[in-house]
Amino acid sequence: MIRKRLDALAQMMDEYLAMPFPNGFRGLDVEGQDMVMLDADTAGYIYRVLDGPLPEPSRGGLIRLVGVFEKVLPAISDEYASKYYTRARDVAVLAAEIEAMRDK
């Protein structure tokens, strides 16, 4: 079951990385969040989840990352940027689900 989800995560990550970064979002803060750092943090967590289980402190960071998306997404009015960051959130949510499955 986890293997299928990891495969799905890898595919989603490839699709996310194929999307160009949104114009105008470099150096932009949304709801106090630097959008480049949000993008970079997402990629970092996903690659670590794909490599194996996260250590406990990193699991908490992944959960906090998902919460950041829930805060910033409603504040993004640009259609493409909203789609881009929604995809990033979806990847992070799947990664968090995989980590939760590893606990069982």
Side-chain angles (χ1 to χ4, degrees), residues 42-54:
T42 301
Y45 278 111
I46 302 319
Y47 285 127
R48 290 175 65 199
V49 168
L50 288 169
D51 282 343
L54 293 176

Side-chain angles (χ1 to χ4, degrees), residues 38-102:
L38 181 59
D39 188 58
D41 288 346
T42 301
Y45 278 111
I46 302 319
Y47 285 127
R48 290 175 65 199
V49 168
L50 288 169
D51 282 343
L54 293 176
E56 191 55 43
S58 295
R59 286 182 179 196
L62 178 57
I63 298 300
R64 284 188 295 280
L65 180 73
V66 171
V68 169
F69 281 111
E70 299 309 320
K71 182 178 175 184
V72 300
L73 279 173
I76 297 173
S77 59
D78 179 85
E79 184 178 341
Y80 176 76
S82 180
K83 179 180 175 181
Y84 181 88
Y85 284 105
T86 297
R87 172 59 60 108
R89 188 236 12 234
D90 293 347
V91 172
V93 166
L94 180 55
E97 290 171 359
I98 290 168
E99 283 301 306
M101 291 173 69
R102 286 176 168 159

Side-chain angles (χ1 to χ4, degrees), residues 21-38 67-78 81-82 85:
F21 190 80
N23 287 332
F25 277 70
R26 292 193 200 297
L28 181 66
D29 282 7
V30 175
E31 296 294 322
Q33 176 63 49
D34 179 296
M35 300 308 284
V36 170
M37 287 305 301
L38 181 59
V68 169
F69 281 111
E70 299 309 320
K71 182 178 175 184
V72 300
L73 279 173
I76 297 173
S77 59
D78 179 85
S82 180
Y85 284 105

